[in-house]
Structures are given as structure tokens and as C-alpha cells.
Amino acid sequence: GYNFDFIDSGKTLRLINVTGTVEAAVQLKIGVWQHVAATCDRSGRMRLYLDGKLMGELQGKPHAPSANPRPMPPLEKVAEFAAKLESAGLGRTFAAGQAGMIVSMVSALHDHRRARKLYTMTGIPPADPDRVDDLYCGTIDKLTLGLMDYLAAHSGDRDGASMRIQTIARRSLSAG
């Protein structure tokens, strides 16, 4: 995701993304067509343009998605995990809360996809629906990876609740 906008009443162009933030002083004019553009390459180099002229540049941190993403359980297994934690009296734990957020985000994604049809019927144009879907899916992935990281980090905990959570996780979140 990214944010490309102007601030300070059109005096500053700004690009924010995972590699960093670049701003450039400009003079946007009301009622006059101007071409604004932003680029970001794999090395993290970010550039802002106004009418084809380079206005700002920043070398952000490189961003490369992992070539070997960590394995994630299917979403129905996460829902099963959340339900089993709740029924075991562990619904107020961090793991249950994280699993519940994942389930809620999946529900919100489905609601958004149903609403896409509604937008077409009413003629109200939504934000780019594919980009919105991408944002939901990216958030779901990050929450799921966060849950898996949390479980891995606490796999050696020996208190009763942690051990019960780990047992339920092994049974619910395994691939098989």
C-alpha cells in the first residue's frame, strides 16, 4: 500500500509507502491541469514529479517480499482455532484475540465483496475494489503471520494457559 497526496494547501507533494516517505515543495495551481507522478523502484528509490520535472527524491530502505513466505494455516483452521480457544475458556487471551481479528477481517472482506455488487446497482463508485481487496488480504496475511509468530515465540512457555493454547494450536492449525 501507499499514500500519494498533497498537503499544505498544495505546496507539498508527498509519497508514503513501505520504503519511506518523500516530500517535495511544489506550487499546485487551482483550476489548471498539472501532471503529478510518483515512482518507487525495488531499491527503495522514490521520486516525485510535477509536469515531468523531478521535484523530490529519496533513497528509502529496499523492500523485497520474502522469496519463501512462512507457511500459514488455511483460514477455516484459524476460525476453528478461535472457536476452540473460546470453548476452552481461553477467549480473553492474546492468541484468541488475534485469531478473532483474522476471522473478523475475513468477514469484512466478504462484506466488501458483497457491497461491490450493491455499488454497481446504486451507481456509487467505490474506491478501486481490487485495491481494497488487496488491502484486506494483505492485512489478513499479516495478522495470520503475526499469530503464527506469537505461537512460535511462546511455544516453550510452561504455564497452564500457554500449554493449553499450544495444544489447541497444534490440533487446529496443522495443515492436515
Side-chain angles (χ1 to χ4, degrees):
Y2 66 91
N3 180 54
F4 178 42
D5 62 2
F6 63 89
I7 55 176
D8 303 325
S9 301
K11 295 178 185 165
T12 305
L13 276 180
R14 176 177 63 176
L15 173 64
I16 304 168
N17 68 22
V18 295
T19 66
T21 300
V22 61
E23 294 181 356
V26 296
Q27 287 298 319
L28 296 179
K29 300 172 186 131
I30 295 174
V32 176
W33 188 92
Q34 293 177 286
H35 183 260
V36 294
T39 64
C40 182
D41 64 25
R42 287 186 181 173
S43 76
R45 169 91 39 210
M46 302 165 59
R47 294 181 175 102
L48 297 172
Y49 298 88
L50 177 62
D51 293 327
K53 181 180 173 194
L54 180 64
M55 301 301 292
E57 186 172 25
L58 173 79
Q59 178 61 53
K61 63 181 180 182
H63 176 69
S66 170
N68 296 313
R70 291 169 283 170
M72 290 193 295
L75 293 171
E76 62 271 8
K77 298 265 187 184
V78 175
E80 176 187 324
F81 175 62
K84 285 183 177 181
L85 287 176
E86 186 67 40
S87 67
L90 298 166
R92 298 178 74 97
T93 62
F94 176 83
Q98 189 80 356
M101 275 195 291
I102 295 163
V103 172
S104 294
M105 286 301 297
V106 171
S107 176
L109 171 62
H110 290 295
D111 289 346
H112 170 258
R113 287 181 173 164
R114 281 190 294 276
R116 285 171 77 161
K117 294 175 187 161
L118 181 66
Y119 288 135
T120 345
M121 294 184 318
T122 62
I124 300 169
D128 179 349
D130 293 330
R131 289 288 302 144
V132 173
D133 275 4
D134 288 347
L135 290 170
Y136 274 112
C137 291
T139 301
I140 292 164
D141 287 350
K142 288 174 187 166
L143 288 169
T144 304
L145 288 171
L147 174 62
M148 301 311 291
D149 286 349
Y150 172 82
L151 291 170
H154 293 276
S155 63
D157 292 358
R158 295 292 164 228
D159 64 275
S162 292
M163 291 174 66
R164 288 173 48 214
I165 289 169
Q166 292 295 332
T167 300
I168 293 169
R170 278 192 299 280
R171 292 179 182 159
S172 300
L173 299 176
S174 64

